Amino acid sequence: VALLVAYDGTGFHGLAPQPGQRTVGGVVLAALSTVLREDLTSSFVMSGRTDAGVHGWGQVVHVDVRELPKGGIQRLHRGLNKLVGPEIVVRDVAVAPPDFDARFSARWRRYRYTVLTAPTG
């Protein structure tokens, strides 16, 4: 299953799951494991990494699942958004081909950095 994730990274210690730290990936992984009722730690793959406080609009994540919940992709999508919000939004969920890899299947990546130097944002 592939996910397209957006997030306000202000309250997170980056993207990758880290023990004892609140991360975007950790929250998404916990939600996936709850909705699908299986430990998905070993198959959770992100398209990249970010530092603490960084926001994302189109982070791709994939995970190998045994089966979808009753109600399919739509139920998974709704269930995830109930558990991860409001700082994280799962924008899309899709069944990915068996050889899909969030990190290595990317055809391109785009980064935009905004640095504020004023005393107020």
Side-chain angles (χ1 to χ4, degrees):
V1 173
L3 312 175
L4 184 64
V5 180
Y7 52 91
D8 175 342
T10 303
F12 295 98
H13 292 273
L15 184 65
Q18 300 175 48
Q21 298 289 334
R22 184 170 185 251
T23 67
V24 174
V27 170
V28 171
L29 177 58
L32 278 164
S33 296
T34 297
V35 173
L36 296 171
R37 297 186 175 137
E38 63 178 295
D39 181 5
L40 300 166
T41 306
S42 63
S43 69
F44 186 76
V45 177
M46 300 169 296
S47 58
R49 297 165 52 116
T50 61
D51 293 328
V54 173
H55 312 310
W57 177 247
Q59 189 77 40
V60 178
V61 174
H62 92 262
V63 65
D64 297 327
V65 302
R66 286 192 301 247
E67 62 182 333
L68 293 172
K70 292 179 182 175
I73 288 291
Q74 293 80 15
R75 183 164 181 209
L76 175 59
H77 195 174
R78 283 191 311 272
L80 290 173
N81 277 322
K82 285 180 184 178
L83 295 172
V84 300
E87 302 113 324
I88 301 171
V89 175
V90 178
R91 295 176 49 212
D92 194 20
V93 179
V95 174
D99 62 342
F100 178 79
D101 185 286
R103 184 172 172 205
F104 297 113
S105 296
R107 294 188 201 145
W108 58 272
R109 289 177 172 85
R110 178 174 48 194
Y111 300 90
R112 183 179 82 188
Y113 298 91
T114 303
V115 178
L116 302 176
T117 59
T120 59

